[in-house]
Amino acid sequence: MQIQFFDDPADMFKARDDVRIKDIVTEVSPEGRRVSVGFDLTPFRDRPSLDVVIVNAEGEIAGNITVIETLAHQFILIIHIRDKNPTTRYDVFTELFYTGEPGDPRQVIDRHQTEFTIPEASID
């Protein structure tokens, strides 16, 4: 007898090479200095890591975070916007990767880019 935990075969746990960033959703806090970034990854067997970098309209890094071997395929992170000269438009660059033995280069599996805007009224 085979037990099936997922109704849709597409939701079954994927091997490293098949793990993807399915969606990224952003929501800016009312004061405009924090952003919630929600992730939806394909379910995975091996825990992936993520690098997330937020870049302002001037090309300066405004925030970043690294997630090491996430346990969940759906989660939300709060990232503080720390650029000195806030802009209204920001890009979020995300890289999903696996690491091997110490000293081995990381294996980048997927990349994703999205953007969000901060209303002018929220910029100090």
Side-chain angles (χ1 to χ4, degrees):
M1 174 181 206
Q2 184 178 6
I3 299 173
Q4 187 171 354
F5 293 103
F6 298 98
D7 293 333
D8 183 355
D11 288 337
M12 295 181 69
F13 297 110
K14 304 290 184 188
R16 286 182 175 208
D17 290 338
D18 297 325
V19 176
R20 295 290 179 262
I21 301 166
K22 292 178 11 182
D23 195 19
I24 295 178
V25 177
T26 58
E27 183 178 339
V28 179
S29 64
E31 82 286 347
R33 298 307 290 168
R34 291 174 290 147
V35 61
S36 298
V37 185
F39 295 89
D40 186 10
L41 310 177
T42 54
F44 46 81
R45 282 187 225 144
D46 298 324
R47 299 183 315 199
S49 298
L50 292 128
D51 267 342
V52 183
V53 179
I54 297 176
V55 178
N56 68 16
E58 304 298 323
E60 300 167 342
I61 294 177
N64 65 319
I65 193 166
T66 300
V67 177
I68 304 297
E69 295 186 356
T70 181
L71 294 171
H73 69 275
Q74 294 178 327
F75 56 95
I76 296 172
L77 301 172
I78 307 294
I79 302 175
H80 293 263
I81 306 298
R82 300 184 187 274
D83 52 344
K84 292 180 182 178
N85 300 312
T87 60
T88 56
R89 190 182 68 73
Y90 289 83
D91 289 305
V92 181
F93 297 95
T94 305
E95 199 170 74
L96 182 138
F97 65 94
Y98 286 95
T99 56
E101 296 297 316
D104 288 349
R106 68 185 186 181
Q107 178 186 13
V108 177
I109 302 299
D110 197 14
R111 290 183 172 97
H112 193 279
Q113 179 182 351
T114 190
E115 65 179 50
F116 64 91
T117 57
I118 295 177
E120 296 239 7
S122 299
I123 298 176
D124 297 324

